Amino acid sequence: MVLKKVGRVEEATEVSSGIYLLRISCPLKEPYPGQFVMAQPPGLEEIPLSIAGYSGGELKLIVAAVGETTRALCRMDVGDRLWVRGPLGRGFSYMSRKTAVAVAGGVGIAPLIYLVDARKREGLKTKLVAGFKSRVGGKLIQLLEDLGDVVIATEDGSIGAKGDAVSVASSMITRSSMVFACGPEPMLRKVVDLCMSVGAAVECSLERYIKCGVGICGACLIEGEEVSMRVCADGPVFDGETIVKLSDFDKLALDRSGCKVPLHGGCPSR
Ligand SMILES: Cc1cc2nc3c(=O)[nH]c(=O)nc-3n(C[C@H](O)[C@H](O)[C@H](O)COP(=O)(O)OP(=O)(O)OC[C@H]3O[C@@H](n4cnc5c(N)ncnc54)[C@H](O)[C@@H]3O)c2cc1C
Ligand code: FES
């Protein structure tokens, strides 16, 4: 059983508008890239966050301030305490190929930062394509460029290559045998389809509403005709062969109350 531990905030820096880098000292079992933690500021909910780095007892998170709990985390000061439970879930098979392409959409960059860094430490090469809607802050760009071989893409072309992450990465994907991805599901669908068409292996980190984080409650179920997966315990990282069997992928998700609702608006299915 993974118990909650007390973490201490060492840094909370806004690296781009509404996106923060948190460094938290907290002794954890060495995580794999792609695993996540449940983080809980005092008096608020426990929420899942991908591990963006872990070294010497220090955890790195990249957090987009989108609601009550993420905003509270991003407002924390050095020395503040929070609960941390993890590492949880199954990560990327990050050592599997000598060269690989990693494709990130928005804050989906978080687990890929850890993946690229871990591969680099093992002498494995990864080309990272980080896509954003528009210009992002200099500190975030610096953080990404420190990883090495990085292409920044923006949909409006305000910095880096113009286009979404998948279009910009497509020629690299077609030449690659291994692709890792994290981001919005329409983006992941494009990545999976492209990889399938060129025979590249692909692993994607998915998001669903997570409660227990350890495979017990069923809140994070993503279903297909023949298989169902718990994102928190069977994932959050799934390979392309599994993803194409999940008919809920890029379509339906369980909400907070357990109702299955469309991911992209429209009428609930029940
Ligand atoms: C495996 C996984 C890894 C994630 N990694 C990151 C990360 O590295 N950085 C990051 O900024 N965000 C990450 N998220 C998303 C993050 O968990 C949500 O943004 C956060 O829970 C929002 O909480 P809130 O109270 O601030 O906002 P709310 O207003 O409560 O919610 C805002 C949005 O977040 C979703 N959300 C709320 N609670 C949860 C929950 N318990 N589980 C999943 N989604 C939830 C809601 O459905 C809603 O769409 C990850 C989610 C998952 C499932
Ligand atoms: S959140 Fe409980 S089973 Fe996944």
Side-chain angles (χ1 to χ4, degrees):
M1 190 165 52
V2 183
L3 297 173
K4 279 186 186 178
K5 298 205 168 127
V6 177
R8 178 187 189 275
V9 176
E10 303 296 339
E11 179 187 354
T13 303
E14 189 168 23
V15 290
S16 188
S17 178
I19 301 179
Y20 288 71
L21 164 69
L22 264 71
R23 286 193 301 113
I24 296 163
S25 58
C26 186
L28 300 178
K29 186 177 159 224
E30 188 77 20
Y32 288 103
Q35 288 190 293
F36 66 98
V37 293
M38 296 298 285
Q40 184 178 28
L44 291 173
E45 272 185 340
E46 227 192 356
I47 58 162
L49 294 167
S50 299
I51 295 171
Y54 187 80
S55 170
E58 195 175 272
L59 173 70
K60 266 191 210 155
L61 302 172
I62 300 285
V63 185
V66 295
E68 190 181 15
T69 310
T70 46
R71 275 199 286 270
L73 282 170
C74 294
R75 276 198 306 263
M76 291 187 110
D77 289 320
V78 173
D80 283 352
R81 314 268 161 162
L82 71 159
W83 292 107
V84 178
R85 184 160 61 95
L88 300 170
R90 293 170 58 164
F92 295 103
S93 54
Y94 71 103
M95 304 261 284
S96 66
R97 308 284 166 102
K98 281 193 179 144
T99 60
V101 175
V103 188
V107 81
I109 192 67
L112 297 178
I113 290 177
Y114 190 28
L115 169 105
V116 173
D117 193 44
R119 283 177 57 84
K120 194 162 107 180
R121 278 185 272 118
E122 298 294 336
L124 304 169
K125 290 186 184 153
T126 320
K127 182 120 194 158
L128 173 64
V129 179
F132 301 96
K133 285 209 175 317
S134 188
R135 178 182 293 278
V136 283
K139 286 184 185 158
L140 180 56
I141 293 174
Q142 190 58 55
L143 202 146
L144 298 177
E145 287 182 345
D146 287 348
L147 292 167
D149 196 359
V150 176
V151 176
I152 308 279
T154 50
E155 288 176 22
D156 63 4
S158 49
I159 46 159
K162 184 170 183 185
D164 63 76
V166 188
S167 320
V168 171
S170 62
S171 61
M172 301 164 217
I173 291 175
T174 51
R175 280 184 269 116
S176 175
S177 61
M178 183 78 227
V179 177
F180 302 104
C182 184
E185 279 181 35
M187 178 206 114
L188 296 180
R189 177 176 288 283
K190 284 192 202 165
V191 173
V192 170
D193 288 349
L194 184 55
C195 290
M196 292 290 183
S197 71
V198 298
V202 57
E203 292 182 355
C204 299
S205 180
L206 305 187
E207 287 189 13
R208 281 295 180 275
Y209 186 75
I210 288 185
K211 249 183 202 166
C212 72
V214 290
I216 295 169
C217 71
C220 64
L221 211 60
I222 176 165
E223 293 178 302
E225 307 300 317
E226 288 156 26
V227 283
S228 293
M229 295 282 160
R230 297 157 306 169
V231 167
C232 71
D234 303 313
V237 175
F238 296 97
D239 61 31
E241 286 77 20
T242 305
I243 289 173
V244 293
K245 290 186 196 141
L246 299 170
S247 42
D248 283 359
F249 174 66
D250 191 28
K251 287 199 185 97
L252 297 165
L254 297 177
D255 68 9
R256 233 174 244 268
S257 60
C259 284
K260 197 176 268 193
V261 296
L263 260 182
H264 315 299
C267 297
S269 67
R270 66 176 154 91

